[in-house]
């Protein structure tokens, strides 16, 4: 099963992907996590991507398509995967088609912009494994320490309020058109993101199985 999770930054794609991938036994592949790892390790890709990410802009298509292509070629992705944060432009979706990757379903997680802004200000992530937390809705058991790997949990530079607005504008301009792209192929299902992570997970699994 090859799935795409689509939605604005902070809609809950990563959190839902973590839940669903465990249930389905397929990996969740987040291009955001791959890029942050590359930045941390100061690889050539990371150095090229950093300035775009810090501004809240999209990283150029050729860079992101390259890392995604390498990632889905790995053995753990051969029985399926969830793409979290890719594609983000029509050109990326077309590149996926050209790679011969068939997508079974595209799950849009819809959350209104005003709710997104509140969520992102409280979001925290693990620097080491990328696990996602929220100061109110999903706090770590121990302050600043990742429940999964013990890594340091921090606020992302691009979750600061001034960057969030520009990321939302980018989403509406460049990524939201993908809804029409996949709707036209009969693959789009929309889930309305709920306050509770478990409630959204239930709706997400129903959308995948339905
Ligand atoms: P995310 O963790 O998905 O919110 O991604 C964080 C940042 O990484 C984004 O704001 C972009 O700068 C970059 N990024 C992640 N995925 C993509 C993508 N598919 N295309 C372009 N830029 C991306």
């Amino acid at each position: 099963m090859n799935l795409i999770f689509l939605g604005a930054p902070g809609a809950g794609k990563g959190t839902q992907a973590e839940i669903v991938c465990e249930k389905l036994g397929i990996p969740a592949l987040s291009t955001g996590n791959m890029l942050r790892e590359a930045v941390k390790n100061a690889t050539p890709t990371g150095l090229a991507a950093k300035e775009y990410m810090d501004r809240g802009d999209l990283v150029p298509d050729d860079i992101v398509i390259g890392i995604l292509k390498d990632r889905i070629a790995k053995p753990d992705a051969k029985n399926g995967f969830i793409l979290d944060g890719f594609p983000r432009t029509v050109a990326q979706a077309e590149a996926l088609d050209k790679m011969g990757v068939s997508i079974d379903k595209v799950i849009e997680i819809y959350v209104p912009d005003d709710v997104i802004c509140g969520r992102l200000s409280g979001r925290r992530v693990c620097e080491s494994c990328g696990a996602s937390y929220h100061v109110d809705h999903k706090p770590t058991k121990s302050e600043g320490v990742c429940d999964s790997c013990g890594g340091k949990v921090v606020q992302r530079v691009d979750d600061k309020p001034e960057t969030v607005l520009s990321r939302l504008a980018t989403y509406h301009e460049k990524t939201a058109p993908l809804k029409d792209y996949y709707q036209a192929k009969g693959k789009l299902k929309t889930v309305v993101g709920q306050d509770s992570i478990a409630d959204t997970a239930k709706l997400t699994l129903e959308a995948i199985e339905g």
Side-chain angles (χ1 to χ4, degrees):
M1 173 100 77
N2 295 336
L3 301 169
I4 291 172
F5 281 12
L6 192 67
K13 301 183 298 293
T15 303
Q16 294 303 322
E18 279 170 30
I19 296 172
V20 172
C21 75
E22 217 166 282
K23 289 231 178 321
L24 300 183
I26 53 177
L29 311 182
S30 154
T31 42
N33 283 351
M34 293 174 215
L35 288 166
R36 277 185 288 280
E37 185 70 19
V39 170
K40 198 169 80 184
N41 295 329
T43 66
T45 299
L47 294 174
K50 186 176 184 322
E51 57 171 307
Y52 298 96
M53 296 174 74
D54 286 351
R55 280 202 305 266
D57 287 343
L58 293 183
V59 172
D61 286 333
D62 54 340
I63 298 181
V64 189
I65 290 166
I67 58 169
L68 194 272
K69 197 172 181 183
D70 291 347
R71 182 60 188 87
I72 57 176
K74 294 205 170 144
D76 67 333
K78 102 176 169 303
N79 293 326
F81 47 75
I82 299 172
L83 297 184
D84 159 17
F86 186 99
R88 256 177 159 101
T89 61
V90 171
Q92 291 178 17
E94 288 169 350
L96 210 48
D97 292 342
K98 269 200 211 120
M99 284 176 219
V101 174
S102 75
I103 298 298
D104 297 292
K105 272 183 191 157
V106 177
I107 310 293
E108 180 208 2
I109 304 180
Y110 170 74
V111 175
D113 284 5
D114 54 335
V115 179
I116 294 275
C117 288
R119 281 193 188 181
L120 289 182
S121 63
R123 175 159 77 174
R124 301 291 181 269
V125 293
C126 173
E127 271 186 344
S128 302
C129 73
S132 195
Y133 298 93
H134 189 280
V135 289
D136 300 321
H137 307 302
K138 193 189 170 194
T140 51
K141 292 193 183 102
S142 165
E143 173 87 38
V145 180
C146 178
D147 295 353
S148 314
C149 78
K152 190 170 163 206
V153 172
V154 297
Q155 181 172 41
R156 280 168 45 173
V157 184
D158 60 349
D159 277 349
K160 304 262 154 77
E162 53 285 11
T163 319
V164 165
L165 291 178
S166 104
R167 287 167 66 207
L168 271 174
T170 302
Y171 172 76
H172 289 296
E173 186 197 337
K174 306 226 167 100
T175 308
L178 288 175
K179 289 191 253 175
D180 289 341
Y181 185 89
Y182 287 114
Q183 178 80 61
K185 294 177 187 281
K187 305 217 158 142
L188 186 75
K189 295 250 183 169
T190 298
V191 166
V192 175
Q194 308 291 306
D195 287 342
S196 136
I197 292 170
D199 289 347
T200 309
K202 188 167 170 279
L203 295 175
T204 302
L205 285 164
E206 280 169 10
I208 292 168
E209 282 152 14

